[in-house]
Amino acid sequence: MAIASLSTLAPVSSPRLTDSHGRVIHDLRVSITDRCNYKCVYCRTGEVGPQYPELAIDDYLRLIRLFVDLGITKVRLTGGEPLLRRGLLNLIRELATLRTRSGETLDLAVTTNGHLLESLAEPLKAAGLNRVTVSMDAVDAPTFERITRVPGSFDAVLRGVRAARAAGLTPLKINCVLLRGFNDDQIEGFARFAREEEVVVRFIEFMPLEEGRLWTPEIVVGLREIVDRIHRVLPLKPLPARDAGETARRYTFADGKGEIGIIAPVTQAFCGACSRVRLTSDGKIRTCLFSQVEHDLYGRMRAGESDEELRSYVLRTVQGKEARHHIGEPGFLKPSRSMVHIGG
Ligand code: SAM
């Protein structure tokens, strides 16, 4: 495809993406659809369908290439549910041909609910995908299906997880969002699951990003509590951070087999080390999950701006990235979009 081959012309002398707080941005998350085949009760009200348009696959490709020119090394495709998106394999094939500013292939990942992964794992790997992260909020089928509101979803996702592992989409991560009194009885089961299924389980604190109004500080199950509860049944040993920007606190078990991690944006915010920027399914830049404003990159592209003009817009926009989020503080404002419409 002509667009991808232009990547060899990336202007390595152009400035890198940094913000006014001195952070280097190298991680891009792109939502490629606003649609989802699950209606997870903590994420969606169940009534609201897609709200924002999708771009053509070639348009995502052109926009992503601008970011790669500016120093992005890791691209994660998300949604909505990215496996619903027609053209996903083509997009991954083209992204796999891009090179970072130091000439390496991109670190390419997808975040998915896993429902369609069983049949797609091998084609995704063959297209050039490195890794998948699968979202699972329970390890027992009835609880899982109460959350997703889709019968048969637990077995489908388990088959998807196993197919992804067999296809070599590893390290395979499982993301679990915990809500007190709702699925926090799954914590110990997830620790066993991590070992049995040879996956890395990441517990993520619930953030005020839902369509409805569920979030309270009390509903968040914090890092300390998760670690203590697992440690009681399966003793844990902390693992050292691999780099300064690592968002998860990682642990292995006493015998060294298996890994769990905790991502604690609420109780131990890591904004100071944030290296991310997001592109929504309709081509808007979001410099923070909790941004109150969006920046219409696609609108500028459609209006005919050149790649050079668009890159300079991206640079200016990222300069203004928010210092941090304000979850739990008086006056906290929920962002204009919920997680499913931003791209988690
Ligand atoms: N459909 C894909 C999936 O299920 O992974 C990608 C989109 S989904 C919105 C991405 C992740 O965001 C999921 O792991 C989901 O559990 C998480 N998520 C949704 N709402 C959240 C919230 N309020 N706080 C923390 N994580 C949330």
Side-chain angles (χ1 to χ4, degrees):
M1 203 178 289
I3 288 178
S5 59
L6 287 177
S7 66
T8 51
L9 302 177
V12 287
S13 58
S14 61
R16 271 176 191 278
L17 275 184
T18 51
D19 70 13
S20 63
H21 308 283
R23 295 172 293 195
V24 178
I25 309 303
H26 49 74
D27 179 349
L28 174 68
R29 305 200 159 205
V30 186
S31 171
I32 55 170
T33 180
D34 193 35
R35 292 171 286 135
C36 192
N37 44 354
Y38 282 2
K39 287 184 248 169
C40 298
V41 289
Y42 64 88
C43 183
R44 309 187 50 201
T45 59
E47 267 108 62
V48 186
Q51 285 180 22
Y52 299 91
E54 295 169 7
L55 308 187
I57 289 292
D58 275 1
D59 291 338
Y60 288 123
L61 199 51
R62 181 170 169 204
L63 296 179
I64 294 170
R65 185 166 50 79
L66 299 169
F67 282 88
V68 174
D69 291 347
L70 294 169
I72 289 290
T73 56
K74 177 172 167 187
V75 175
R76 179 175 290 277
L77 302 178
T78 179
E81 172 47 41
L83 301 195
L84 289 175
R85 182 59 207 258
R86 270 178 83 139
L88 170 66
L89 292 175
N90 276 341
L91 178 59
I92 289 171
R93 253 179 239 118
E94 294 299 329
L95 291 176
T97 70
L98 300 189
R99 293 293 174 268
T100 66
R101 285 164 62 123
S102 49
E104 282 147 21
T105 53
L106 292 172
D107 179 7
L108 276 181
V110 163
T111 298
T112 171
N113 60 29
H115 194 78
L116 301 172
L117 196 51
E118 185 184 20
S119 60
L120 277 170
E122 288 218 4
L124 284 166
K125 180 70 183 178
L129 188 71
N130 302 123
R131 297 178 288 115
V132 289
T133 297
V134 180
S135 303
M136 288 181 77
D137 301 313
V139 283
D140 77 73
T143 309
F144 191 90
E145 287 164 23
R146 220 169 34 241
I147 295 172
T148 62
R149 296 187 263 198
V150 174
S153 51
F154 181 76
D155 286 342
V157 173
L158 193 54
R159 289 196 303 271
V161 165
R162 290 174 177 167
R165 212 187 44 216
L169 290 166
T170 51
L172 183 58
K173 289 187 193 150
I174 304 290
N175 277 357
C176 166
V177 177
L178 290 172
L179 280 75
R180 186 175 308 285
F182 181 73
N183 67 340
D184 56 338
D185 60 342
Q186 303 288 306
I187 292 176
E188 294 83 353
F190 264 113
R192 284 186 281 271
F193 186 83
R195 289 162 64 84
E196 286 159 12
E197 295 291 331
E198 295 172 38
V199 293
V200 176
V201 171
R202 296 269 193 259
F203 297 99
I204 302 180
E205 291 177 349
F206 183 50
M207 295 177 278
L209 284 165
E210 69 285 25
E211 279 178 352
R213 295 270 162 187
L214 266 181
W215 194 89
T216 61
E218 293 72 37
I219 208 169
V220 177
V221 185
L223 180 142
R224 202 58 266 158
E225 179 178 341
I226 299 169
V227 171
D228 288 349
R229 278 184 50 180
I230 296 179
H231 192 69
R232 248 176 261 140
V233 289
L234 283 166
L236 290 170
K237 291 189 299 195
L239 286 168
R242 281 169 300 201
D243 58 70
E246 191 158 71
T247 51
R249 302 286 184 96
R250 301 184 308 124
Y251 298 83
T252 185
F253 297 92
D255 61 3
K257 179 176 179 265
E259 180 183 325
I260 63 138
I262 295 143
I263 301 181
V266 179
T267 63
Q268 314 217 358
F270 42 80
C271 304
C274 182
S275 57
R276 292 180 191 165
V277 64
R278 292 182 151 78
L279 199 57
T280 61
S281 63
D282 54 343
K284 309 249 167 68
I285 300 172
R286 289 184 69 94
T287 48
C288 172
L289 266 177
F290 295 93
S291 291
Q292 295 296 325
V293 281
E294 298 177 341
H295 309 271
D296 191 4
L297 182 63
Y298 174 66
R300 286 169 178 259
M301 184 183 119
R302 210 181 35 189
E305 288 197 7
S306 67
D307 281 3
E308 201 181 330
E309 287 168 316
L310 294 171
R311 275 193 295 269
S312 109
Y313 179 66
V314 172
L315 281 168
R316 288 199 307 278
T317 302
V318 169
Q319 268 295 304
K321 182 173 161 67
E322 296 81 343
R324 61 186 185 91
H325 69 64
H326 297 274
I327 300 174
E329 296 175 16
F332 169 80
L333 287 174
K334 254 177 97 160
S336 49
R337 299 192 194 208
S338 60
M339 190 69 137
V340 67
H341 304 297
I342 294 173

